[in-house]
Amino acid sequence: MYESGQVRKEAAITTSVCVYRFFMEYEEYAKHEYYMRLALEEAEKAREIDEVPVGAVVVRGGAVIARAHNLRETNKQASAHAEFLAMQKASSYLGTWCLDDCDLYVTLEPCMMCTGAIILARIANLYYGTKDPKAGAVDSVIEVRKISRLNHHVNVESGYLEQECGDILRAFFKEKRQKPKRDKSQFKIDK
């Protein structure tokens, strides 16, 4: 049988461990939230130029080494997605295609093209804000990361600032639906 002092000491140790774990988890979440806020700043830049508001940042060793936002309409290039452009900038900065010690933060679940690029670049960790029920290739439409035969598997966490990441997209598309559709005939080439 324990003496009451021993019981109090064990209870104090257990409480201290629980408090320590809580603060460590909170600190970890705050770090991810900070980087996701930077990605949201990039998404806002995209919205300001009438691009789909998606932003991304690449982090290595706690430092942001690349930032980007969607530029598909501006560049007239299908691959000009935020995460794709951010990885290109990171590769250029580091002088290598292999980003295996980098983390990618993106406001929207990556599409199939970007998920493929993330795997090929060997990104260590992917953090995304909100799911993409129409084109998401991580958890929604296709679950590429569950293909066991791939040579690289990315650690994925989602839901960081999910509401804010979703809100900027919903507001953008609500505004788009209220405007007349663009005339696609201007893009056709006469034969």
Side-chain angles (χ1 to χ4, degrees):
M1 182 169 186
Y2 290 107
E3 294 180 23
S4 63
Q6 180 68 22
V7 171
R8 281 194 299 263
K9 184 186 270 185
E10 287 181 13
I13 291 170
T14 301
T15 301
S16 295
V17 169
C18 289
V19 168
Y20 174 78
R21 284 185 184 151
F22 170 79
F23 282 110
M24 291 303 290
E25 288 173 12
Y26 177 79
E27 186 177 299
E28 185 73 10
Y29 184 85
K31 174 185 79 170
H32 296 310
E33 189 175 274
Y34 169 76
Y35 294 125
M36 193 60 74
R37 286 205 185 283
L38 296 179
L40 269 168
E41 288 175 11
E42 289 297 315
E44 181 60 29
K45 290 178 187 177
R47 189 199 60 75
E48 289 171 0
I49 59 172
D50 205 31
E51 291 277 358
V52 174
V54 176
V57 296
V58 178
V59 177
R60 181 180 186 225
V64 175
I65 62 169
R67 307 169 80 140
H69 53 273
N70 273 2
L71 289 173
R72 197 167 71 168
E73 299 297 329
T74 303
N75 292 358
K76 295 174 181 29
Q77 188 175 21
S79 64
H81 289 195
E83 55 270 58
F84 200 88
L85 296 172
M87 289 187 298
Q88 284 181 326
K89 288 179 180 181
S91 290
S92 179
Y93 176 78
L94 294 174
T96 181
W97 60 268
C98 187
L99 303 176
D100 61 352
D101 57 352
C102 297
D103 299 333
L104 176 64
Y105 292 81
V106 62
T107 56
L108 180 65
E109 178 185 2
C111 69
M112 190 162 48
M113 173 188 69
C114 292
T115 301
I118 289 164
I119 291 166
L120 291 172
R122 297 198 174 107
I123 290 286
N125 299 292
L126 167 66
Y127 303 96
Y128 71 86
T130 192
K131 291 187 184 302
D132 183 349
K134 293 184 178 183
V138 178
D139 292 313
S140 297
V141 177
I142 303 169
E143 295 178 278
V144 171
R145 68 187 177 125
K146 289 188 177 178
I147 300 171
S148 62
R149 296 183 68 191
L150 294 174
N151 68 334
H152 177 70
H153 294 274
V154 181
N155 178 50
V156 178
E157 292 184 32
S158 64
Y160 292 100
L161 301 180
E162 182 175 12
Q163 186 66 42
E164 292 172 59
C165 292
D167 286 347
I168 192 171
L169 287 159
R170 282 185 288 278
F172 176 81
F173 286 112
K174 181 179 181 181
E175 185 180 312
K176 279 289 189 197
R177 284 189 293 274
Q178 293 170 353
K179 292 180 181 177
K181 294 193 179 206
R182 69 180 176 186
D183 179 14
K184 292 185 181 179
S185 66
Q186 65 181 326
F187 303 114
K188 294 181 181 175
I189 299 173
D190 294 329
K191 290 186 180 183

